[in-house]
Each structure stands twice: as structure tokens, then as C-alpha cells.
Amino acid sequence: MAKAHLARTFDDLRFGRGLDVEKLWPMVSGIQASITRHPGAIMAVTRLKDRHEYTYAHSVAVCGLMIGLARQMGLDPAKHHEIGMAGLLHDIGKARVPTMLLDKPGPLTSEEKMMMRDHARLGYESLMSGDEVLNANQRLTSIVLDACLHHHERLDGSGYPDNQRGEHISLYARMVAICDTYDVATSARVYKSASSPAEALDLMVNSPGRFDPEILSAFSALIGIFPVGSMVRLRSDRLAVVLESPDDEATSPPVCPFFCIQTRQQLPWRRSPPGVDPIIGIELPSRWNLPVWAETRAAILAHFEGNLPLE
């Protein structure tokens, strides 16, 4: 329902009919209520996107992720609603970007990249202009407006549109930056396949100076203690890949050990059930300099789907 409603909202803006923000608040309330009833449900929503409805589903997913992250960070519950709206409208400027550019299967030219980057400012301007928006402007707080304009800013100043740095970037824009990047990475598009949750977290963790580490830590906890595909270290001094994220065994999921740290040898792939060899922590792939790590992880996860034998 939210995707269909948001599609109409984008069309209204695309064809010059303005934006009726008041109609969006009940939708955010519904998403917020759903997350309150079942906090883990939003993680399933992030995986249920069709390539052709990506823009709308992405905005709904980021709305949910923002509400979940606000809960995880212990932010004032009175602000959760507008934090969700910030996620819902963060990409509204894409309604003013040509559709053929949004779905282009090949790499963008320099000029096209500039047009795409302009969506943040276009969205901000759209929220700040027009009779429909002005009539509802008391409902568009600075949290929503700033997140729309600055969700592509990065702590090291490498983002856009204003090259903001560090604490000059608002807390909420830093939150949207992480939720947006995660959902983009884990979504299949016409020009790329979807990354796993672990690969998406790897991308952000291994981009020092770009994302707020404290917010990223809270987001990692929201996604799951040990996301599927994570590299973990076992008590036996083996490296393993997390195979599942069962709700009832969040701290001890099934894994596949693949590398012995002491002997520096690859191991045969076997499924180790929960609790047999406890996990002592998540490991960064960059620390071990393993060749073709991404390919190895993908192969292990694919092989597990073919029913690996138990240890």
C-alpha cells in the first residue's frame, strides 16, 4: 500500500501537481506501528523489491530502517514519526530526474552524474515550494528538510551538495546516509545485482571517514548481531561464514568454517550448527587479506543452499 501511495506522490511531483505531505503522515504512522509490533519485519521488506518499483520501495524501506534505527539508538520516541518521514522523502528529488536516467543499465556520463547528484537539492526545493507544500509546511520539520538535502554528505567532506564535514552534518542526515547506502547496496537494479547484508556492512565499515561509526554500530545491531555472510572468528581459531540469522539463536547462528588461523589452511566446507564452536567476534575481511574473499563467501552461501553435511 505504501509503495502504491508513494508512486502516486512521485507522479504528482513529476507532472507538476505539487506534493500533498498531509496524506503521507498516516502512511508513516502505519510503518511505525508495524515496526512496533514486529521490529524484525522491516528487514524482510528491504529484500522484496522489484527492479521496476525500486524508487518507491527504496523510500519505504529507508523509512522503516530510519524508524528502526531511531529505536535502536534510543532517540526520543516523539521524534520517530518525523525521522520516518525523513526516510520516506529523502529521495523525493528523483521525481524530477528523467526516468531513463534512473534506470540506465550502463555507467553514467559525467553530465549524467551531475544530473543525478542534483536530486538532493531538487528534492529540497520541491519540499520548500508550491502551495500544497506551503499549506502543510508546519508538518515538514527541519529534520525532514535537512535529511532530504544532505543525505549524501559524508564525514570526510567527500559528499554533496554542500561538502559538509563531521559534526556539521546533522545526526539525522548521518542516519539517512547509512540507511540509504545499505538499502541501495542490498537492492538489485538493472545495472547491478544485490549485495548481501554482510557485504553492505563491509562496504561502509571499510570506508573510513565517510560514515558515523557510532551510528553504524547501532545500525549493525539493528540488522542483526551476525548478518548472513558475515566473517566471524570461532573459539577454535577458525574463520567462518554465517549461514543463517535465526530469530531464536541471534548470538549463535549456524556457520561454515572455511579457514584455520593457526595453520593458514583452507578447510572443507561443512555446516557447524549453533553452539558447537562459539563465535567470539566479527572479523574484517581486510584484516586477513584473503584472496577472492567475496567469491569465496558467495560460493559458500550457494553451496550451503545445496544442503551441506553437518559437522
Side-chain angles (χ1 to χ4, degrees), residues 210-290:
R210 292 175 62 79
F211 301 97
D212 187 304
E214 292 186 10
I215 298 177
L216 188 55
S217 177
F219 186 79
S220 297
L222 171 68
I223 299 304
I225 298 175
F226 302 116
V228 172
S230 296
M231 179 191 291
V232 294
R233 185 168 184 158
L234 307 179
R235 183 177 293 171
S236 62
D237 255 358
R238 296 183 295 174
L239 299 180
V241 174
V242 175
L243 299 176
E244 299 173 23
S245 292
D247 293 336
D248 58 342
E249 293 286 353
T251 59
S252 56
V255 299
C256 174
F258 70 94
F259 186 78
C260 177
I261 294 172
Q262 293 182 353
T263 64
R264 308 291 297 184
Q265 296 293 315
Q266 299 287 333
L267 301 171
W269 298 345
R270 299 181 67 85
R271 183 179 184 275
S272 180
V276 170
D277 189 358
I279 295 172
I280 62 175
I282 288 183
E283 288 287 339
L284 292 178
S286 57
R287 177 183 176 190
W288 296 98
N289 195 30
L290 297 173

Side-chain angles (χ1 to χ4, degrees), residues 56-93:
Y56 319 121
H58 169 64
S59 296
V60 173
V62 173
C63 172
L65 289 172
M66 285 288 284
I67 294 172
L69 181 55
R71 289 164 55 93
Q72 184 70 36
M73 294 171 63
L75 300 184
D76 182 358
K79 292 186 179 295
H80 289 186
H81 205 191
E82 56 190 299
I83 289 172
M85 181 63 86
L88 192 71
L89 293 179
H90 79 286
D91 262 352
I92 194 67

Side-chain angles (χ1 to χ4, degrees), residues 104-302:
K104 183 177 177 179
L108 301 179
T109 66
S110 297
E111 183 179 358
E112 289 170 337
K113 287 179 181 178
M114 291 301 295
M115 292 175 64
M116 279 294 294
R117 284 189 165 204
D118 207 31
H119 80 272
R121 194 172 298 282
L122 289 172
Y124 176 79
E125 291 172 355
S126 295
L127 296 180
M128 290 297 291
S129 64
D131 292 340
E132 294 85 352
V133 174
L134 291 175
N135 290 339
N137 213 30
Q138 72 272 15
R139 305 295 298 279
L140 280 176
T141 65
S142 60
I143 289 177
V144 178
L145 296 171
D146 181 72
C148 178
L149 181 61
H150 293 130
H151 63 279
H152 281 290
E153 302 288 0
R154 299 294 181 258
L155 296 186
D156 59 5
S158 63
Y160 61 87
D162 296 323
N163 301 115
Q164 291 186 338
R165 287 179 174 271
E167 295 300 319
H168 292 290
I169 307 171
S170 73
L171 169 68
Y172 307 103
R174 282 179 271 151
M175 289 171 64
V176 182
I178 289 172
C179 295
D180 174 57
T181 300
Y182 173 84
D183 193 66
V184 168
T186 55
S187 300
R189 301 298 308 279
V190 293
Y191 51 82
K192 76 172 187 70
S193 58
S195 299
S196 70
E199 289 171 328
L201 289 174
D202 283 353
L203 169 68
M204 291 187 282
V205 169
N206 291 308
S207 301
R210 292 175 62 79
F211 301 97
D212 187 304
E214 292 186 10
I215 298 177
L216 188 55
S217 177
F219 186 79
S220 297
L222 171 68
I223 299 304
I225 298 175
F226 302 116
V228 172
S230 296
M231 179 191 291
V232 294
R233 185 168 184 158
L234 307 179
R235 183 177 293 171
S236 62
D237 255 358
R238 296 183 295 174
L239 299 180
V241 174
V242 175
L243 299 176
E244 299 173 23
S245 292
D247 293 336
D248 58 342
E249 293 286 353
T251 59
S252 56
V255 299
C256 174
F258 70 94
F259 186 78
C260 177
I261 294 172
Q262 293 182 353
T263 64
R264 308 291 297 184
Q265 296 293 315
Q266 299 287 333
L267 301 171
W269 298 345
R270 299 181 67 85
R271 183 179 184 275
S272 180
V276 170
D277 189 358
I279 295 172
I280 62 175
I282 288 183
E283 288 287 339
L284 292 178
S286 57
R287 177 183 176 190
W288 296 98
N289 195 30
L290 297 173
V292 294
W293 154 245
E295 292 83 353
T296 299
R297 168 167 52 192
I300 289 174
L301 293 175

